[in-house]
Amino acid sequence: MTSLDDPALAALGPRLPSPVQEVADERFTRRGLRLLLKRDDLIHPELIGNKWRKLAPNLRAARGRRIVTFGGAYSNHLRATADAGRLLGLETIGVVRGEELAGRPLNPSLARCVADGMRLHFVDRATYRRKAEPDTLAAVLRAAGAEDAHVVPEGGSNALAVRGCQELGAELGEQADVVAVACGTGGTLAGLAAGLPAGRRALGIPVLKGGFLTAAVEALQKEAFGARRGDWWLDDRFHFGGYARTTPALHTFAEDFTARHGVPVERLYVAKLLYALVALAEEGAFPRGTTVAAVVTGRPFPDHT
């Protein structure tokens, strides 16, 4: 039994495998390329995309215990965990980076978490950076009143999540030569690359700047599989200033893509991914005859449209 076969999770009605949609986009076709969209945004109305794939194994491992997880003020992962808690009747606690936010009005993202029943616990940024250290984590859990909780790391990326995302690569199989995904913590890329058959490549587009993801993805694959797996690489040029940052040009690009293809484009991850693929096609990064698949990992949130 896989994590996605758990009766409580199965009762939520996930759409798996998620659909694959081919789009005719002249920016690709004139270069002899095909563009596919792996519509993980259609897996579930609320637990969408890679959040379903990463959270489902962790929810099963929690066995009904309260869940503590981590994120910034605009974390998609915090929202997804809060959604899951509401849907499954689990208590959730979100440890939020930035103690100064505790006294301010909640932004729409954190307000949604609270509306879904998540209790927020704000910590200073220095503590947050050390959250993986055992002593720091224990202190944070004590302060949050959650010492008995099941801990899910930032972004949901751990060995359980990576193995859950391996199914994404298996679903795509040999439909695409290159499969691209936007990356925050690297867990989806780590699993995707491991699940693809031989001869297929995975491309990660980091949405944070810093150039740290190669080591992070390798570490996740080692934790999940014992060694680096699959053929994958990263292109760090398309973060648009870092996480939760966008530009007018990116918004214009996303609106144009939606107008062309009728696909809602989430700004913090998916828009950066699609923008990168258009740029790489224009650079001649993919040989003629290549089929490129873009993993659509989410839908627009109201404050990011």
Side-chain angles (χ1 to χ4, degrees), residues 179-200:
V179 183
V181 64
C183 300
T185 53
T188 303
L189 176 64
L192 164 65
L196 287 172
R200 270 54 187 176

Side-chain angles (χ1 to χ4, degrees), residues 184-225:
T185 53
T188 303
L189 176 64
L192 164 65
L196 287 172
R200 270 54 187 176
R201 306 185 71 199
L203 166 62
I205 303 298
V207 301
L208 293 82
K209 61 182 179 180
F212 59 88
L213 264 188
T214 297
V217 174
E218 288 177 343
L220 285 166
Q221 288 194 326
K222 184 175 181 180
E223 182 185 0
F225 309 117

Side-chain angles (χ1 to χ4, degrees), residues 71-130:
Y74 290 94
S75 169
N76 290 333
H77 169 68
L78 287 182
R79 289 206 307 270
T81 305
D83 280 337
R86 174 176 53 81
L87 292 167
L88 295 170
L90 298 174
E91 182 182 352
T92 59
I93 300 167
V95 178
V96 183
R97 180 180 63 247
E99 191 176 36
E100 73 279 3
L101 300 175
R104 300 178 185 174
L106 297 177
N107 67 33
S109 184
L110 293 178
R112 171 67 179 270
C113 291
V114 171
D116 283 334
M118 175 174 276
R119 177 161 60 87
L120 301 180
H121 178 74
F122 296 88
V123 300
D124 65 85
R125 294 170 187 271
T127 298
Y128 192 90
R129 284 194 295 271
R130 300 194 307 272

Side-chain angles (χ1 to χ4, degrees), residues 39-304:
R39 297 294 303 274
D40 266 21
D41 58 317
L42 301 178
I43 287 178
H44 188 273
E46 295 171 273
L47 297 180
I48 57 178
N50 60 344
K51 301 309 176 190
W52 175 277
R53 297 186 188 276
K54 293 163 80 173
L55 271 175
N58 276 287
L59 292 169
R60 183 166 182 255
R63 300 182 183 277
R65 287 182 292 156
R66 71 177 75 179
I67 294 171
V68 169
T69 194
F70 303 81
Y74 290 94
S75 169
N76 290 333
H77 169 68
L78 287 182
R79 289 206 307 270
T81 305
D83 280 337
R86 174 176 53 81
L87 292 167
L88 295 170
L90 298 174
E91 182 182 352
T92 59
I93 300 167
V95 178
V96 183
R97 180 180 63 247
E99 191 176 36
E100 73 279 3
L101 300 175
R104 300 178 185 174
L106 297 177
N107 67 33
S109 184
L110 293 178
R112 171 67 179 270
C113 291
V114 171
D116 283 334
M118 175 174 276
R119 177 161 60 87
L120 301 180
H121 178 74
F122 296 88
V123 300
D124 65 85
R125 294 170 187 271
T127 298
Y128 192 90
R129 284 194 295 271
R130 300 194 307 272
K131 62 187 177 299
E133 299 173 9
D135 289 347
T136 301
L137 176 60
V140 169
L141 294 179
R142 283 195 301 272
E147 294 171 276
D148 61 342
H150 176 77
V151 177
V152 178
E154 182 177 29
S157 291
N158 57 11
L160 289 170
V162 170
R163 288 191 285 268
C165 290
Q166 191 175 5
E167 297 179 15
L168 171 59
E171 287 177 20
L172 278 162
E174 299 184 353
Q175 295 181 76
D177 303 296
V178 175
V179 183
V181 64
C183 300
T185 53
T188 303
L189 176 64
L192 164 65
L196 287 172
R200 270 54 187 176
R201 306 185 71 199
L203 166 62
I205 303 298
V207 301
L208 293 82
K209 61 182 179 180
F212 59 88
L213 264 188
T214 297
V217 174
E218 288 177 343
L220 285 166
Q221 288 194 326
K222 184 175 181 180
E223 182 185 0
F225 309 117
R228 178 167 172 146
R229 292 276 294 272
D231 186 354
W232 57 269
W233 82 105
L234 296 165
D235 193 319
D236 291 302
R237 295 178 292 159
F238 303 100
H239 53 70
F240 285 83
Y243 184 69
R245 296 188 180 182
T246 60
T247 66
L250 186 66
H251 283 285
T252 298
F253 172 86
E255 291 167 0
D256 174 72
F257 195 94
T258 296
R260 289 175 186 244
H261 305 301
V263 177
V265 178
E266 185 270 338
R267 301 300 198 260
L268 305 187
Y269 287 86
V270 180
K272 295 178 181 182
L273 167 67
L274 295 171
Y275 187 101
L277 291 179
V278 170
L280 288 166
E282 291 174 348
E283 293 172 2
F286 307 118
R288 294 185 70 86
T290 298
T291 297
V292 180
V295 182
V296 182
T297 50
R299 291 192 301 271
F301 191 66
D303 59 324
H304 295 141

Side-chain angles (χ1 to χ4, degrees), residues 30-44:
R30 72 170 178 260
R31 294 175 172 84
L33 309 173
R34 293 174 64 219
L35 177 63
L36 308 179
L37 303 180
K38 177 62 167 166
R39 297 294 303 274
D40 266 21
D41 58 317
L42 301 178
I43 287 178
H44 188 273

